[in-house]
Amino acid sequence: MLELTRLARGIGFVFLGYFAGWPLLAVLGAVLTRGFDVQGFERVVEWWIWPVPGIFPVLSVVLAVDFFRRLRGHRLRPAKVGSYRFVALLLTFGAGFAVSRHWAPLLISGLCLLAMFAPVKKRAAASVEA
């Protein structure tokens, strides 16, 4: 089970919400363009794509900064280290969708992911649960 802080959980929900919208857009696009012959739906898809290069790298940096800040302050348990890494992997995966037009988001998110995969579990605070 993922054990996340509020910030990491919120960033994860941004990712999940964004990608949950893709099937909805696909169904709406098929119904509106083929069923009702509505023109201009391509602009909606274009507007849905634009946040990828702008949001995912920023969220990756915010997550990495929070990760290392909590790690330095010994407020990150070893179980949360894996959860943070999972969210960083999701953000890197999401930034990869922009690679056809932009390579920088994948680079930034990938570097944040690599930094978070440094061997840090020993520096994480011991669990208070006995």
Side-chain angles (χ1 to χ4, degrees), residues 67-68 71 81 85 112-121 123:
F67 175 78
F68 287 110
L71 188 66
V81 170
R85 289 175 176 172
C112 290
L113 175 69
L114 284 176
M116 291 174 69
F117 267 94
V120 296
K121 282 206 177 200
R123 288 180 36 196

Side-chain angles (χ1 to χ4, degrees), residues 79-104:
K80 288 185 180 179
V81 170
S83 299
Y84 265 81
R85 289 175 176 172
F86 178 70
V87 172
L89 183 68
L90 287 178
L91 291 174
T92 303
F93 176 72
F97 280 94
V99 99
S100 64
R101 295 186 297 172
H102 308 283
W103 58 269

Side-chain angles (χ1 to χ4, degrees), residues 26 34 55-56 58 65 74 77-78 81 92 95 101 121 130:
R34 293 191 183 112
I55 291 178
F56 286 134
V58 172
V65 167
H74 298 289
R77 294 193 306 249
V81 170
T92 303
R101 295 186 297 172
K121 282 206 177 200

Side-chain angles (χ1 to χ4, degrees), residues 37 47 49 56 61 70 80 110 118 120:
D37 199 29
W47 275 98
I49 292 172
F56 286 134
V61 170
R70 288 180 183 274
K80 288 185 180 179
V120 296

Side-chain angles (χ1 to χ4, degrees), residues 10-54:
I11 290 174
F13 280 133
V14 167
F15 171 83
L16 291 176
Y18 181 79
F19 281 101
W22 278 109
L24 179 66
L25 275 178
V27 169
L28 279 175
V31 168
L32 291 177
T33 57
R34 293 191 183 112
F36 295 110
D37 199 29
V38 173
Q39 302 297 321
F41 194 73
E42 296 82 23
R43 283 193 70 61
V44 173
V45 173
E46 183 179 315
W47 275 98
W48 194 253
I49 292 172
W50 78 263
V52 173

